[in-house]
Amino acid sequence: MTPYVLPAPPSRPAAEPNTAYLIASGDLRPKANLAGWPTQVRMEADVTAAFAELGWTVRRANPVDPETGHGFISSQRMGLEVFKSIPADAPLIVAEAVWQYSHHVLAGLRTHRGPILTVANFAGTWPGLVGLLGLNAGMAKMGVAYSTIWSVDFTDDWFKEGLRSWTSTWQIPHDQSHVRPLPPLGSSPEVDLGQALAGQLLADKAIIGVFDEGCMGMYNAIIDDELLNPIGVYKERLSQSALWAEMLTVGDAEADAVGQWLLDAGMTFRLGTDEATELTAAQLRWQHKMYIAALRISDDFGLDAVGIQYQQGLKDLSPASDLAEGLLNNVARPPVTSRDGARVLWDGRALPHFNEADEGVAVDALVTNRIWTAMGLDPATTLHDVRWGEDYDGEFVWVWEISGSVPRRTSPAATRVPSAGGRTRCTSRWAAPRSRASAAPARSSGAGCSSRAARCTWTSGGPRRSRCRTRRRSGAPRPPRRPGRSCTRSCTA
């Protein structure tokens, strides 16, 4: 007989035949969950109907909360509680129609013993596919097995065949023939340059500054030091409260000088007076101050790249960071001096900014900046979520959703017109700036995406969309109509 108070042994319900449980990881921000809930409801009904055709029952693991008005799992603690009601070995569906914070459900998924299926919508209006990919990457990082599938309306044959495969084998095969080993490169000036830059990075090392690592719930966007350090990259972990504090020290005159530089460069601002629905002069001034503050903090720590996560913390204090992010990635941008005015910081150089503090993007942006600079190219980069596309007028058109502002270099012949929108309805107290312009023809490069000639029309900030019309090379296959070609996180010139 033990003298100690032992906890009651955990109990879970028993799994039922031909029954799958369904959960939906949501946002941490209540307004975002409410805005996306109607889309999630439609998606869950469609998925449930598709399973019913196969003789399966889909049971939601948690009901709609009458107080919040939605059924998303909106915190890590809530996720732990929901998993207590799920049989540990039951088939589990994670259905995502919107952006989600993966850490809400990763704890339960890590120890779940049953088969796991992630399902997303393939739509240009709600980023379910991006949420799914982030969640998938988190499980891959944890070593948790899963299957995955997505659809436009959940009635296509490809989707239904995928469900049939999963319910019979717990696997959904995907075509991976596009993934090939890197062939021998031989000798060339480009190989010599790559080896020299890699040697420099390993020997001299680099520091990336991360403001509030992981605060957006992207477990997959955190590269462990044990993996990052061996390639010569080290982290300086920073606080967004320090960024806000530094913003408070920037005078109005300095901030207004940034705005004047942009006006002189041909940028047009469509301003209003309603802070909630329009871009205002006051919001612009705070964004200019953030740009100055980010450069000065980066100078304090000797950073080689910096990443800001706007979604948590800063959203309650400041207008969106998009404008500051886009400016940092440019060689041609408003000059900022050290606090004593003695030095122009990164004079004539870009400071690579990795959007959403995604450390995978940090490595990509840092290396791209150094390669393109050494090759005499403009090193301006930005990050895109290549999340949706459709046949349009005889060609396949990708929509590139941009997380942060587009560098001015990508639209050299156009006037970028920020206007209110995007984050206003869902995530912030303020209207978010949206920059619009016609992009120059360019070639894109990024992990998981083949390089194609493209002509694009950009919209950044807010919904951050870009329509990219691909021009096929001779003999290149046309992307299929079914939603089977998708990729994410592309750094683009």
Side-chain angles (χ1 to χ4, degrees), residues 214-401:
C215 78
M216 282 174 57
M218 295 194 298
Y219 172 68
N220 59 296
I222 302 171
I223 301 179
D224 295 344
D225 292 48
E226 288 72 19
L227 298 175
L228 197 61
N229 297 167
I231 65 171
V233 180
Y234 291 75
K235 299 180 197 177
E236 192 73 57
R237 292 173 170 88
L238 305 168
S239 171
Q240 290 184 118
S241 61
L243 181 60
W244 173 246
E246 184 67 28
M247 290 166 62
L248 296 178
T249 70
V250 178
D252 291 346
E254 277 191 293
D256 293 345
V258 170
Q260 189 59 53
W261 188 98
L262 294 171
L263 292 173
D264 293 343
M267 198 162 182
T268 301
F269 296 99
R270 292 181 177 173
L271 302 179
T273 58
D274 185 352
E275 296 284 346
T277 62
E278 297 176 301
L279 184 64
T280 67
Q283 292 172 15
L284 279 178
R285 180 177 279 174
W286 279 117
Q287 292 177 71
H288 301 155
K289 290 183 177 183
M290 184 184 294
Y291 165 68
I292 295 169
L295 280 165
R296 286 179 176 163
I297 290 178
S298 298
D299 181 58
D300 290 341
F301 290 94
L303 303 182
D304 296 282
V306 66
I308 301 170
Q309 297 190 93
Y310 177 75
Q311 289 195 17
Q312 294 300 331
L314 279 179
K315 71 175 176 58
D316 301 317
L317 296 170
S318 169
S321 58
D322 300 67
L323 181 58
E325 295 174 20
L327 291 176
L328 290 170
N329 275 318
N330 284 275
V331 171
R333 54 178 173 75
V336 174
T337 65
S338 55
R339 295 181 187 85
D340 60 6
R343 295 175 294 120
V344 176
L345 304 180
W346 280 269
D347 189 16
R349 293 181 293 147
L351 172 60
H353 178 275
F354 46 104
N355 307 64
E356 298 178 348
D358 186 323
E359 293 162 16
V361 179
V363 175
D364 195 337
L366 176 67
V367 171
T368 299
N369 175 276
R370 294 188 175 190
I371 292 174
W372 288 353
T373 298
M375 296 178 73
L377 303 173
D378 191 305
T381 62
T382 192
L383 170 149
H384 306 282
D385 295 332
V386 188
R387 65 178 68 169
W388 180 75
E390 185 56 275
D391 284 315
Y392 178 79
D393 194 24
E395 294 184 282
F396 196 88
V397 179
W398 282 114
V399 177
W400 291 5
E401 305 269 324

Side-chain angles (χ1 to χ4, degrees), residues 38-85:
T39 300
Q40 179 72 25
V41 169
R42 290 192 295 271
M43 174 196 173
E44 291 187 14
D46 291 339
V47 170
T48 299
F51 269 92
E53 292 181 8
L54 299 175
W56 276 69
T57 298
V58 174
R59 179 172 298 169
R60 212 171 195 287
N62 64 291
V64 175
D65 187 332
E67 292 188 8
T68 64
H70 64 78
F72 288 116
I73 295 175
S74 55
S75 71
Q76 188 167 211
R77 169 52 62 187
M78 181 180 178
L80 293 178
E81 296 303 317
V82 169
F83 267 89
K84 292 179 181 179
S85 67

